[in-house]
Amino acid sequence: MLKAKLCAPAVYKNIISREKLLTKFQQAKECKLILVTAPAGSGKTTAVLDWLGKCGLPYAWLSLDDGDNHPVSFWQYVCAALEDITDGISKDAEYTFSSPEMMKANIHINILIDRLSEISSDFFLVLDDLHLIRDPAILAGLSYLIDYLPSPVHLVLISRTTPEIGLARHRVKWQIQRLNTEDLRFGEEEIFRFYQARGITLENSELKKVESFTEGWAAALVAVTLSIEEGGGRDAIQALSRSSRDIGQYLRDEVISNWRPEKLSFAMKISILDTLWPDLCNAVTGDDHGFNWLEEMAEGNNFITDLDGQRQAYRYHHLFQSFLRKLLQETFPEEISQLYKRAGAWFQEQSLMPEAIDYFLSGGAYQEAFELIEHQTDPLIHKNDFDRLLTWIERLPAEYRENSFKSACIYALYYAELGRLDLSRQWIDRMKALKDGYQYATGTEWIGYSDTVCIMIEANLLIRENNLGFLPLIFSAAETDGGRYFKMPEYNDFNTADIYFYRCPINRLSGLFKEAPDQFVRMADSYRRMISKNPGYAPLAVGEYLYESNRIEEAQPYLLKALEEAREAICPGALVPVIVDIARLKRAGGDISGAFAVVEEGRKQLQSIGKTHWLYLLDAFRCRLYIDIGNTDKVREWYSARKLSIFTEIDRVREFELIVYARVLILINRTQDARLLLQRLLAFTGESKRLHSQVEVLNILALLSFRDNHTRLALRYLDESLSLGLNEGYVRSYLDELAPMAQILRAYLKSRGKLSGDHFFKERKAFAASLLEQIRDSLLQTAAAHAEVAAEVAEKLSEQFTAQEKKVLELMVNADTNKMICEKLGIGLRTVKTHTGNIYTKLGVKNRVQCIKLVRELGLL
């Protein structure tokens, strides 16, 4: 990470305050978004720095460059910039950068938003040179951030052009303060003070001439200053004419023409660099006087900025850098490639490998770049940072790209991660073809390593294809020389975002246990020989299969074993599904309080692990429990807090939250919105072959349609769901919908559709009958548990009431008015109201309706 990018540039000592600008900036303190747009050289950054120095609020600064057109790099730098505002924010978000799915779902931005919401005082986040960011994913993420920008944050965007972040849409939600070219243009009085601060007092005629030439453009004002200071004197002003207002030509004719040749040569050669460190400049130019040259150029020159205020890092203004690069191309074209190579070598010596690779590639040093990319491949694959790797690989010539074993590995894993299993297979075949006779590595070690890598990458693909062919491959990897070529330090967390094991990428293991338990045990043992910690996936696969099959008592010991292993290994991908499954076990047994307790304990464990998106999923599951018990206050609380809508992009990371969101929409009677979202979810789950999710969505659609008296449509959805559920062996997916599912199953069994004679339809009806019977048993068990709990509660509550309060309560339940109670008990109205107030307090209710409902539910009378 280049720390200089996180430092606000030093403000030039002779800067003048511009009251007109400061007044407009002061108004911006009331806005959430401040947009400063103007062409290069308009003084945007200087104006913002001057204002920030006077406004009295803290700020975080990020100077962007072309290298930040990568979502991971961009957001890592944003987090780093915010560290001084809220310590630890980078650590909280870091894990999401290794998952393209989480990045796409904006989990990293949600973490930023949640952390920034905790800050009590206002501050500014400044993104300078935003016009250099062209990546659509980054701009979409910025738009999302603006949508949910917490109240303490004021976002300042400095750009040459209006960024493509949907400002017209945001203007409705947030007040936006804009500053443009006209705001930044220097007026006559400001021009006079600008030169006066530099020791130059302009006569009126000179002032008119300068204003006519520059038109108040800051860069032109600086260029004229340089011309005067570099030897042109006041005659430089007399030479100005409007027809020559070409800043590049002016700099060539009036400024650098007065520079010593060695100074100009140095300045041109370092123009290939984005950040100017003295040692780096020396390495690139072969000159030992980099520090002196930089200091001399920075003195009185607004076209070169001291980045850290310590004279250790500088940056050219983009206009000046562009001008010098053009001059370099004209003067030393044959040296440019070598300059980039020297820069790459310097970064390599500093162990800044990403920068080294970029400079080597820019200089055409493909062999050096290739070797570094090969060296970086394994750690970046471990982080799932495929985008960075592919950006480098695709800049290599074809002969490197197409004949690299590790490049083939990257493409095979990348396409498997994207779900493009056909392309992954093609690259696996290419990988196998390349490993034998690979020119960049040979010997016994290479053969063992490359064979094992091929085995594990192919096993990864087969698992995703639900192909049991992965079994012998895992056996082979474990048994090849003791598995030492693929001995992992801990384990692979196969599940990054699914709350149920049945929905995670390795869900096929549950089917394997069902079909071939001996093979399952051997596979688990082989895998465990390659890892140092058991993450809990093997007992989880069995436990969730047994739960889904409604074999509740058999499931419990496996789930408790999975919980123990997942906790010890600190593996959230197994831990969260285990927590949810145990909570579902509790709910199935009628212990809803126990279910909530399990979830709460799970949240505490996850907070110590630090992977925040799992907390979002657990909160969604807890909301599902609140829906089941009808706690609308808690449901609305979750609904208001989540950054979701019916048009939120659906992916695996957000799928479960969106399914719960659809349930909430139904509960609050936003039926049309719920239908729209559910149809989108149905399309997504169908296209991505997520059968367990698809069955849940079909069930919700069936229940919603049945509730709204669209019986034929409801039975059609249910029939499709039963077809999938029967084939996959799902049971609890139906039982967990409770009494409403029993009602629609009865209607289904009574139906006489066109397919009534079809054999498969008869199978589905038999399946439906079995489900109905199991739902009845489950509801009876739950009701019995609830009755037992309710009796205990009722007994404790009943003991709190006085004899007279019990009489009043009985009459209230019989729908007697206060006046009728007075007459029957022979007491005054005020006394009745005192008794009813005491009763409400003891029951924890607010009114008569809630009181009567609770009394009847608990059987208090």
Side-chain angles (χ1 to χ4, degrees), residues 16 18 41 184-187 190-192 194-195 198 200 202 207 210-211 213-228 245 247 250 302-303:
I16 64 168
R18 306 172 64 191
L184 293 165
R185 197 184 302 279
F186 281 72
E190 290 174 326
I191 293 174
F192 179 83
F194 177 88
Y195 284 103
R198 288 155 177 77
I200 304 168
L202 298 180
L207 180 60
V210 171
E211 183 183 23
F213 171 73
T214 63
E215 295 184 344
W217 184 34
L221 294 174
V222 173
V224 172
T225 306
L226 288 175
S227 176
I228 295 170
R245 192 174 177 269
I247 192 69
Y250 185 82
N302 284 46
F303 281 135

Side-chain angles (χ1 to χ4, degrees), residues 366-367 370-371 374 396 399-407 434-443 446:
Y366 297 121
Q367 183 61 36
F370 175 76
E371 289 175 2
E374 292 268 296
L396 289 168
E399 60 266 26
Y400 287 97
R401 188 170 61 248
E402 295 172 4
N403 295 294
S404 165
F405 174 80
K406 288 196 173 182
S407 293
L434 286 169
K435 75 179 179 67
D436 297 325
Y438 190 50
Q439 59 178 313
Y440 299 105
T442 56
W446 166 253

Side-chain angles (χ1 to χ4, degrees), residues 272-398:
I272 68 162
L273 305 171
D274 292 319
T275 303
L276 309 176
W277 289 284
D279 289 345
L280 171 60
C281 294
N282 288 342
V284 169
T285 62
D287 192 322
D288 292 334
H289 302 92
F291 181 84
N292 295 332
W293 286 128
L294 289 169
E295 195 171 48
E296 181 179 327
M297 285 193 294
E299 187 67 31
N301 182 350
N302 284 46
F303 281 135
I304 182 169
T305 303
D306 180 357
L307 288 179
D308 58 4
Q310 305 295 319
R311 298 187 299 175
Q312 296 299 316
Y314 297 87
R315 185 179 67 187
Y316 278 139
H317 189 283
H318 295 298
L319 274 175
F320 200 52
Q321 183 181 37
S322 178
F323 161 70
L324 289 173
R325 281 185 177 179
K326 184 178 180 181
L327 200 60
L328 175 66
Q329 184 66 46
E330 296 171 2
T331 312
F332 303 114
E334 71 286 350
E335 292 188 31
I336 294 176
S337 176
Q338 190 60 35
L339 296 174
Y340 277 106
K341 290 179 184 178
R342 290 174 188 168
W346 185 86
F347 279 109
Q348 184 177 1
E349 288 176 7
Q350 310 305 313
S351 298
L352 295 168
M353 298 308 174
E355 289 77 14
I357 291 169
D358 282 329
Y359 277 99
F360 279 139
L361 289 171
S362 296
Y366 297 121
Q367 183 61 36
E368 291 88 339
F370 175 76
E371 289 175 2
L372 285 185
I373 293 170
E374 292 268 296
H375 182 70
Q376 292 288 297
T377 294
D378 286 349
L380 287 177
I381 284 178
H382 184 68
K383 293 181 178 180
N384 279 346
D385 196 352
F386 296 114
D387 287 345
R388 186 189 297 270
L389 285 166
L390 292 175
T391 299
W392 291 333
I393 290 169
E394 288 169 6
R395 291 173 65 188
L396 289 168

Side-chain angles (χ1 to χ4, degrees), residues 88-96 102 106-115 118 496 572 576 603 605-620 642-643 653 657:
I89 196 168
S90 294
K91 183 180 178 182
D92 285 354
E94 181 64 30
Y95 79 96
T96 64
M102 281 191 236
N106 291 325
I107 299 300
H108 56 302
I109 304 177
N110 284 343
I111 292 171
L112 290 188
I113 292 168
D114 291 344
R115 282 296 308 273
E118 298 169 0
T496 57
V576 172
R603 290 189 92 263
Q605 294 173 34
L606 285 170
Q607 284 169 344
S608 65
I609 293 173
K611 295 194 173 181
T612 308
H613 77 287
W614 288 114
L615 291 173
Y616 300 154
L617 291 172
L618 265 191
D619 288 346
R642 297 317 303 140
K643 305 165 189 71
V653 178
E657 285 185 282

Side-chain angles (χ1 to χ4, degrees), residues 1 5-6 59-62 76-85 89-90 125-127:
M1 180 129 334
K5 290 162 60 70
L6 309 176
Y59 61 89
W61 187 280
L62 174 57
Q76 281 177 328
Y77 270 113
V78 169
C79 289
L82 289 166
E83 277 293 323
D84 287 341
I85 302 293
I89 196 168
S90 294
L125 169 60
V126 185
L127 303 181

Side-chain angles (χ1 to χ4, degrees), residues 89-323:
I89 196 168
S90 294
K91 183 180 178 182
D92 285 354
E94 181 64 30
Y95 79 96
T96 64
F97 299 136
S98 64
S99 169
E101 281 187 312
M102 281 191 236
M103 294 283 289
K104 185 179 178 183
N106 291 325
I107 299 300
H108 56 302
I109 304 177
N110 284 343
I111 292 171
L112 290 188
I113 292 168
D114 291 344
R115 282 296 308 273
L116 296 177
S117 298
E118 298 169 0
I119 298 171
S120 57
S121 57
D122 286 19
F123 71 95
F124 295 96
L125 169 60
V126 185
L127 303 181
D128 193 12
D129 290 329
L130 186 63
H131 57 274
L132 297 173
I133 302 302
R134 301 172 297 278
D135 187 281
I138 296 176
L139 296 174
L142 267 179
S143 181
Y144 182 82
L145 175 63
I146 293 168
D147 264 338
Y148 299 103
L149 204 62
S151 56
V153 189
H154 304 270
L155 184 61
V156 183
L157 305 180
I158 306 174
S159 176
R160 294 184 193 173
T161 57
T162 301
E164 297 291 330
I165 54 176
L167 288 175
R169 176 168 59 85
H170 297 307
R171 192 180 294 116
V172 177
K173 195 168 185 180
W174 305 113
Q175 184 184 358
I176 299 176
Q177 178 67 293
R178 297 173 181 267
L179 287 89
N180 54 32
T181 306
E182 287 304 312
D183 296 308
L184 293 165
R185 197 184 302 279
F186 281 72
E188 185 176 294
E189 185 269 339
E190 290 174 326
I191 293 174
F192 179 83
R193 289 193 296 113
F194 177 88
Y195 284 103
Q196 188 179 50
R198 288 155 177 77
I200 304 168
T201 303
L202 298 180
E203 300 292 339
N204 193 53
S205 61
E206 292 173 326
L207 180 60
K208 296 289 185 185
K209 203 167 188 68
V210 171
E211 183 183 23
S212 175
F213 171 73
T214 63
E215 295 184 344
W217 184 34
L221 294 174
V222 173
V224 172
T225 306
L226 288 175
S227 176
I228 295 170
E229 293 176 347
E230 292 290 342
R234 303 184 75 87
D235 291 340
I237 297 174
Q238 300 304 321
L240 296 176
S241 68
R242 190 180 180 90
S243 61
S244 66
R245 192 174 177 269
D246 179 328
I247 192 69
Q249 191 62 45
Y250 185 82
L251 288 170
R252 186 190 297 260
D253 295 343
E254 303 294 337
V255 179
I256 66 169
S257 60
N258 296 308
W259 283 11
R260 298 189 300 281
E262 57 271 27
K263 176 180 177 180
L264 178 58
S265 173
F266 179 86
M268 285 190 291
K269 290 177 180 178
I270 65 172
S271 68
I272 68 162
L273 305 171
D274 292 319
T275 303
L276 309 176
W277 289 284
D279 289 345
L280 171 60
C281 294
N282 288 342
V284 169
T285 62
D287 192 322
D288 292 334
H289 302 92
F291 181 84
N292 295 332
W293 286 128
L294 289 169
E295 195 171 48
E296 181 179 327
M297 285 193 294
E299 187 67 31
N301 182 350
N302 284 46
F303 281 135
I304 182 169
T305 303
D306 180 357
L307 288 179
D308 58 4
Q310 305 295 319
R311 298 187 299 175
Q312 296 299 316
Y314 297 87
R315 185 179 67 187
Y316 278 139
H317 189 283
H318 295 298
L319 274 175
F320 200 52
Q321 183 181 37
S322 178
F323 161 70

